[in-house]
Amino acid sequence: SNDAENTAAHHRNTLQFNTYSHRKQLFSVCVTLSEATEEVSLDSPERQPILSDGPSPVITPVTPVMISSRADVFDRSPDQDEDEEENRDTFDIQISVSDPEKVGDGMNAYMVYKVLTKTSLSIFSRDEVCVKRRFSDFLGLHSKLASKYMHMGYIVPPAPEKSIVGMTKVKVGKEDLSSVEFVEKRRSALERYLLRTVKHPALLKDPDVLQFLESSELPRAVSTQALSGAGILRMVNKAADAVNKMTIKMNESDAWFEEKQQQFENLDVQLRKLHASVESLVCHRKELSVNTASFAKSAAMLGNSEDHTALSRALSQLAEVEEKIDQLHQDQACADFYLISELLGDYVRLITAVKGVFDQRMKTWAKCQDAQVMLQRKREAEAKLQHANKPDKLQQAKDEIREWEGKVQQGERDFEQISKNIRREVGRFEKDRVKDFRVVIIKYLESLVHTQQQMIKYWEAFLPEAKAIA
Amino acid sequence: LLQVRTADSPHPRFDLNNDASLVIDIPDALCERDKVKFTVHTKTTLSSFQKPEYSVQRQHEDFIWLHDTIVETEEYAGLIIPPAPPKPDFEGPREKMHKLGEGESSMTKEEYAKMKQELEKTVQVHEVFLQRLSSHPMFRKDRNFQIFLEYDQDLTVRRKNAKEMFGGFFKNMVKSADEVLISGVKEVDEFFEQEKNFLLDYSSKIKDATAKAEKMTRSHKNVADDYNHISGALNNTAADNNTAFKKHLEKCAEVFEKLRKVEDRMASDQELKLTELLRYYTRDIQAAKDLLYRRARALADYENSNKALDKARLKGKDVAQAEENQKQCLQKFDKLSESGKKELTSFKARRVVAFRKNLIEMTELEIKHAKVRRLKCYVYHYMFIRQCSGILI
């Protein structure tokens, strides 16, 4: 039905985060699956459908899992965040990136995506806006946000990677499977990028973000043509590296930062390994699909060759079952990839952004140190001039001292602010990652349940055929 | 030292023990270094045996010796000789076993499980070989078969003697040159003509199906391995993290560990029921083809003996000898035809029964595993959902 389709599409395309407090017992969690599924809703805790061995429990296409995040959390301290659990508002914005369209021809061609925003938030001028954007627009948005917020310690979600090979195939006009996959992969990545960006309370309110989502015409982001999101991060990190090579090592008075930095280093390593393992799973699942299809053909040939009628028929049926199972493997490989592999890829890039933010703090500290050194020099200069009887120069020196005192104060304030921001950002990041991973594992389990359901169906249909061999 | 008790194995085997007068099974096997020792257990009511029950240790080479002596027995030329079991193949695990013997590293759980699976496979195929012999009216009376079952000491010495006897030359083994020669022989019998065409076609199809099934099973094992790595990586990531995330990752690691177990079991069941079935019948089809070739060679011999007789008659020399030769060739050919027809007919029946049994068992196992997986996914899904609503677990 159209309704179910819409719901399914809606769910597939949005990461809507809402929650009800745990005091509200009514918590309906359902899941979207494709066509052939039945219905269950795991609502009140009394229900124990999974433990019965009766007819297969079912899963219904309804609203997705809801988890919330406050819109203006950045004004609150980390401690206050704990209390948020008690009274969360709903944070209502849905974004979908869809309908990739090729514009132009040859090497100048590019893909344009439809960006649809549905929201009830008042900062938006309309409830529903639809605009067309190309990949470089997304990169442009990210570069603006990075330049505005990274130095303040905000974790700006990285934009998706550029891919020259992938894009060239599309430009050249190859309509093959790998191009289609590439475009879908990119579409999905762009969608996740936007959702992650608006989930950040400060970024959501940013005028560039609003303009990106709402305005029908967007000035071409020319300067980012050569830069991808990762490219910008690399630049930022290079600057940070330069800072680290300075002789003055930062005296980390705050153990929290040292500890967190180490944690993120470790997490970076671990997530990359995990990501590699999942990529291996995707690869092997695809191989399994190919090999199953190949076996199916072979079984069909064997069936044709078999001269015992009933056995021949059973072998042909076996071939059909295996073909259907091949399709299941393909679907599962998609779930493996889009749910888990891509999430991990996103997080590996996010961690790089987090590490970048810590480096920004070091840079800020270094700047503060520089200012102090300069102030000291100015004071020394002034002291010398005290006995030199050059009243103009003395006044200038006193002015410069005031100037640098101001800079020192500003530097200290900046450092304090960025430290505070980072604490909050890291707190938010740590909360979000649990939610993100949880949503993903839930969806993944659903995909597995669906696959198993189908498998049971196919094999149960085959069993009488096997028994009929006389 | 790795011992497997096949009685504990969840896999029912090809059950050819229909006749209680001679019942054979391999209740366990020992893997020592790179040698596998099978315990062959016999229960019999036949008077030709000295005792009603035997339990002897045999190695793979003993089975091969038995197979080869049977192939070489002229009497059995008209029968389908049960295919020799393939050599136990342990590859990596064998190296591991070797290292174990030298006191090096210990085996991981996964390596042990893989070895156990290989052992189960090889036991199955060696057992079937013996059961084929015991369930056949002629093979079960074979003297060497009886020695194999009864002789309570190492057969190695006897084997060496046998080799010397035959001088390493196996007359009845079909060589490739024969195959070419023989397919050129004109077939008079409709039954055998049909059988030949069927077997030639089926043989190539089943070889292909075996290869494809092997690849499919391999892919399943790879997926199981990946689940294992993912589980490990999740646990590693959990190791130094904050509480909520750590717990979550550990739960996820559990999920993947459970998935791995089911996938592994499924892969090995598929291998035992489907891939091994196909492998076995590829070999059995070859044995049937060998029978056809022996018969075709006998036919060629008969035709040659006719020509020789005509020639002798023409020359007027050695006619009696030629007549005798011709008579014997015809007798042999007729015997092979009569026996061959019976064998090929019962071969088809046997094949159908085995396919039916294995396809049913495989399907039932697939359903069982899918249900287990579904159930486990439901349980974890439910748990994660409840975590979302704030009910901490």
Side-chain angles (χ1 to χ4, degrees):
Chain A
S1 85
N2 211 21
D3 214 357
E5 233 175 66
N6 284 339
T7 318
H10 161 96
H11 176 66
R12 215 180 25 252
N13 293 337
T14 69
L15 274 174
Q16 182 173 1
F17 294 125
N18 268 315
T19 202
Y20 302 102
S21 111
H22 57 72
R23 284 206 217 107
K24 296 183 188 171
Q25 284 303 305
L26 199 71
F27 182 62
S28 161
V29 179
C30 313
V31 158
T32 301
L33 296 170
S34 51
E35 307 73 56
T37 51
E38 311 125 289
E39 308 234 353
V40 106
S41 66
L42 300 167
D43 18 47
S44 52
E46 299 93 70
R47 194 192 163 95
Q48 310 258 304
I50 17 102
L51 299 177
S52 77
D53 202 27
S56 355
V58 280
I59 315 191
T60 202
V62 182
T63 47
V65 179
M66 319 289 210
I67 308 168
S68 95
S69 86
R70 264 186 86 84
D72 52 351
V73 78
F74 83 104
D75 283 337
R76 329 242 290 163
S77 74
D79 299 318
Q80 281 178 289
D81 284 356
E82 304 293 307
D83 299 323
E84 271 183 75
E85 299 280 1
E86 302 292 345
N87 41 8
R88 281 201 177 173
D89 298 328
T90 56
F91 168 80
D92 182 14
I93 177 168
Q94 300 160 34
I95 301 184
S96 71
V97 175
S98 60
D99 301 308
E101 227 179 274
K102 188 163 148 194
V103 173
D105 249 323
M107 288 313 288
N108 290 325
Y110 58 91
M111 295 299 279
V112 151
Y113 303 86
K114 192 170 94 175
V115 178
L116 173 66
T117 307
K118 282 192 194 156
T119 177
S120 60
L121 296 174
S122 50
I123 43 173
F124 286 87
S125 57
R126 306 201 287 288
D127 280 354
E128 200 173 306
V129 192
C130 188
V131 296
K132 291 215 165 132
R133 296 286 178 254
R134 54 184 291 189
F135 185 66
S136 56
D137 293 334
F138 289 80
L139 294 185
L141 174 65
H142 174 260
S143 98
K144 285 191 196 139
L145 295 177
S147 62
K148 277 200 258 185
Y149 295 101
M150 261 182 103
H151 70 271
M152 294 205 310
Y154 285 39
I155 301 170
V156 176
E161 291 290 333
K162 252 192 178 229
S163 164
I164 298 177
V165 173
M167 222 22 225
T168 308
K169 270 200 212 159
V170 173
K171 287 185 200 213
V172 162
K174 286 190 102 192
E175 284 289 318
D176 65 351
L177 188 63
S178 67
S179 304
V180 171
E181 272 181 19
F182 171 79
V183 171
E184 172 54 26
K185 187 175 159 180
R186 172 159 286 187
R187 181 210 65 76
S188 173
L190 291 173
E191 195 175 85
R192 292 194 310 272
Y193 165 69
L194 285 180
L195 286 164
R196 234 179 266 285
T197 302
V198 299
K199 225 169 42 146
H200 192 299
L203 298 180
L204 173 61
K205 294 195 206 158
D206 183 278
D208 283 318
V209 170
L210 292 171
Q211 185 190 44
F212 181 92
L213 292 175
E214 289 194 311
S215 131
S216 48
E217 287 297 317
L218 205 65
R220 267 294 298 282
V222 177
S223 59
T224 64
Q225 254 171 329
L227 288 176
S228 65
I232 292 187
L233 284 176
R234 271 194 291 277
M235 257 178 41
V236 166
N237 285 335
K238 256 192 220 139
D241 286 338
V243 164
N244 289 340
K245 288 191 178 97
M246 284 167 53
T247 49
I248 305 169
K249 265 293 166 193
M250 176 166 172
N251 251 341
E252 189 52 81
S253 53
D254 195 339
W256 185 92
F257 283 90
E258 202 170 316
E259 199 188 298
K260 282 298 165 190
Q261 250 180 304
Q262 188 57 52
Q263 275 184 11
F264 281 110
E265 284 296 328
N266 295 343
L267 188 60
D268 189 22
V269 171
Q270 302 298 354
L271 280 187
R272 279 172 200 273
K273 283 199 192 138
L274 182 57
H275 189 214
S277 296
V278 175
E279 284 185 319
S280 176
L281 173 67
V282 173
C283 182
H284 284 139
R285 184 92 70 187
K286 284 187 176 160
E287 259 177 40
L288 176 59
S289 157
V290 166
N291 290 340
T292 306
S294 171
F295 173 73
K297 286 202 183 80
S298 191
M301 301 262 287
L302 188 65
N304 283 341
S305 177
E306 174 61 61
D307 62 353
H308 185 272
T309 329
L311 179 54
S312 168
R313 190 173 56 236
L315 286 170
S316 304
Q317 305 279 22
L318 178 67
E320 275 179 35
V321 171
E322 295 287 359
E323 252 175 45
K324 290 190 190 140
I325 288 182
D326 161 34
Q327 190 53 51
L328 288 181
H329 289 315
Q330 283 180 41
D331 293 342
Q332 190 59 58
C334 264
D336 294 340
F337 180 72
Y338 282 104
L339 287 177
I340 306 188
S341 183
E342 288 286 78
L343 172 81
L344 289 172
D346 286 350
Y347 264 82
V348 165
R349 278 192 298 278
L350 256 174
I351 300 276
T352 311
V354 173
K355 282 171 32 170
V357 139
F358 278 92
D359 288 337
Q360 286 291 327
R361 179 174 172 268
M362 301 249 302
K363 203 167 152 193
T364 309
W365 179 84
K367 202 166 156 194
C368 188
Q369 291 296 101
D370 283 349
Q372 284 185 346
V373 164
M374 206 42 134
L375 176 62
Q376 186 60 25
R377 277 199 208 138
K378 296 296 177 190
R379 284 198 174 132
E380 283 166 7
E382 193 247 11
K384 280 198 193 130
L385 285 171
Q386 289 279 3
H387 309 292
N389 198 20
K390 290 182 186 157
D392 298 335
K393 287 242 166 84
L394 188 59
Q395 186 55 43
Q396 187 187 358
K398 285 195 201 282
D399 288 340
E400 282 179 359
I401 287 178
R402 259 200 302 282
E403 184 195 333
W404 281 96
E405 275 174 352
K407 283 195 180 158
V408 164
Q409 271 181 1
Q410 184 60 47
E412 283 171 354
R413 269 200 299 275
D414 286 346
F415 182 72
E416 218 178 276
Q417 186 62 46
I418 195 178
S419 300
K420 186 170 138 202
N421 286 345
I422 290 179
R423 277 178 182 271
R424 192 193 58 241
E425 286 287 281
V426 167
R428 197 178 59 86
F429 172 84
E430 287 179 346
K431 265 209 189 97
D432 282 349
R433 77 180 165 191
V434 181
K435 290 175 206 161
D436 273 356
F437 275 69
R438 194 180 285 150
V439 166
V440 156
I441 190 84
I442 285 170
K443 286 186 183 174
Y444 187 66
L445 287 168
E446 287 160 7
S447 78
L448 283 172
V449 164
H450 173 63
T451 313
Q452 298 321 299
Q453 210 95 294
Q454 291 299 100
M455 241 188 234
I456 291 169
K457 218 165 82 172
Y458 297 148
W459 286 115
E460 281 180 341
F462 176 71
L463 189 57
E465 294 292 339
K467 290 187 168 161
I469 302 170
Chain B
L1 203 71
L2 173 67
Q3 184 158 32
V4 161
R5 295 208 174 280
T6 51
D8 301 334
S9 158
H11 306 291
R13 282 109 66 195
F14 287 177
D15 191 19
L16 292 164
N17 279 329
N18 298 321
D19 185 348
S21 62
L22 183 60
V23 174
I24 305 178
D25 71 320
I26 299 182
D28 62 70
L30 240 113
C31 185
E32 205 171 20
R33 294 267 169 159
D34 54 356
K35 279 223 177 296
V36 181
K37 292 206 166 105
F38 301 95
T39 302
V40 178
H41 173 247
T42 309
K43 262 193 163 140
T44 178
T45 59
L46 296 175
S47 52
S48 49
F49 287 81
Q50 290 180 359
K51 292 195 284 186
E53 194 163 352
Y54 295 92
S55 203
V56 297
Q57 296 271 304
R58 293 288 176 251
Q59 290 175 35
H60 170 72
E61 288 71 21
D62 299 330
F63 288 76
I64 299 303
W65 164 80
L66 179 58
H67 172 263
D68 291 348
T69 61
I70 287 174
V71 168
E72 284 308 301
T73 308
E74 195 60 42
E75 242 186 287
Y76 304 141
L79 307 176
I80 296 178
I81 315 287
K87 197 172 157 85
D89 176 30
F90 288 94
E91 294 177 2
R94 176 184 289 139
E95 284 171 41
K96 209 54 204 237
M97 291 289 326
H98 221 69
K99 283 195 185 139
L100 269 181
E102 287 156 19
E104 272 189 35
S105 50
S106 62
M107 239 191 207
T108 65
K109 231 176 32 183
E110 289 82 34
E111 284 166 334
Y112 182 84
K114 277 199 168 102
M115 238 193 140
K116 194 154 175 285
Q117 279 171 19
E118 280 303 311
L119 215 52
E120 279 175 356
K121 250 168 60 186
T122 196
V123 161
Q124 176 175 293
V125 83
H126 282 78
E127 195 180 68
V128 165
F129 172 70
L130 295 178
Q131 287 171 345
R132 280 283 299 278
L133 295 174
S134 69
S135 60
H136 192 286
M138 290 208 62
F139 291 134
R140 69 188 349 221
K141 295 190 236 157
D142 185 85
R143 179 87 193 105
N144 286 316
F145 185 42
Q146 191 167 339
I147 292 169
F148 180 95
L149 296 173
E150 278 187 322
Y151 192 62
D152 59 2
Q153 309 207 2
D154 206 325
L155 276 179
T156 322
V157 175
R158 273 202 103 94
R159 283 198 274 118
K160 285 215 179 82
N161 293 342
K163 252 210 181 98
E164 277 153 22
M165 224 167 76
F166 294 122
F169 172 69
F170 296 103
K171 300 178 303 223
N172 277 343
M173 296 288 219
V174 177
K175 294 178 209 61
S176 49
D178 285 338
E179 287 187 24
V180 172
L181 189 76
I182 281 150
S183 37
V185 167
K186 201 170 93 113
E187 184 55 69
V188 282
D189 190 328
E190 180 68 39
F191 174 84
F192 283 100
E193 179 66 19
Q194 265 184 345
E195 280 300 311
K196 181 181 83 180
N197 291 332
F198 165 71
L199 286 176
L200 283 175
D201 183 44
Y202 197 78
S203 158
S204 70
K205 300 280 156 56
I206 199 168
K207 244 188 224 148
D208 186 58
T210 306
K212 302 284 161 62
E214 281 172 346
K215 273 178 123 168
M216 197 171 64
T217 305
R218 169 129 307 277
S219 283
H220 269 297
K221 291 191 174 158
N222 286 338
V223 167
D225 279 343
D226 286 329
Y227 281 149
N228 193 26
H229 293 139
I230 291 171
S231 181
L234 282 165
N235 274 324
N236 287 340
T237 313
D240 41 24
N241 256 292
N242 73 351
T243 342
F245 196 42
K246 181 194 182 84
K247 281 207 181 120
H248 178 74
L249 288 171
E250 283 170 350
K251 274 279 172 263
C252 290
E254 255 180 60
V255 171
F256 279 96
E257 175 55 26
K258 298 275 190 291
L259 288 176
R260 179 196 71 80
K261 279 208 180 101
V262 182
E263 197 74 32
D264 239 342
R265 197 77 262 182
M266 224 197 69
S268 80
D269 282 345
Q270 191 187 72
E271 176 160 41
L272 273 171
K273 296 294 153 196
L274 184 66
T275 314
E276 281 291 293
L277 171 76
L278 292 171
R279 279 190 192 122
Y280 185 79
Y281 276 94
T282 305
R283 289 193 293 268
D284 220 8
I285 293 280
Q286 186 59 46
K289 272 162 73 182
D290 289 348
L291 167 58
L292 278 190
Y293 290 139
R294 286 194 293 271
R295 177 181 166 277
R297 194 165 48 197
L299 178 60
D301 287 345
Y302 172 60
E303 285 174 358
N304 289 339
S305 75
N306 270 336
K307 290 191 190 124
L309 180 58
D310 289 343
K311 228 169 150 185
R313 284 188 176 139
L314 259 166
K315 284 195 182 154
K317 232 170 75 169
D318 298 319
V319 174
Q321 206 177 9
E323 275 177 349
E324 182 58 34
N325 188 27
Q326 191 235 38
K327 194 169 102 186
Q328 282 191 348
C329 281
L330 181 59
Q331 262 181 353
K332 180 170 175 191
F333 174 68
D334 282 341
K335 179 170 163 229
L336 289 189
S337 296
E338 190 192 322
S339 148
K341 203 175 241 171
K342 269 195 258 174
E343 287 282 295
L344 288 168
T345 309
S346 69
F347 169 62
K348 180 189 305 216
R350 196 175 60 239
R351 184 175 78 247
V352 172
V353 166
F355 267 75
R356 180 179 187 277
K357 180 171 190 283
N358 279 277
L359 286 178
I360 292 174
E361 284 172 2
M362 179 189 79
T363 306
E364 287 172 344
L365 285 167
E366 289 272 356
I367 293 170
K368 175 178 136 188
H369 291 312
K371 282 188 170 162
V372 166
R373 234 196 319 234
R374 183 184 63 182
L375 178 64
K376 290 201 195 278
C377 285
Y378 268 132
V379 170
Y380 277 101
H381 181 266
Y382 184 64
M383 186 200 68
F384 281 118
I385 295 286
R386 289 186 62 128
Q387 273 185 352
C388 282
S389 71
I391 302 164
L392 295 169
I393 296 181

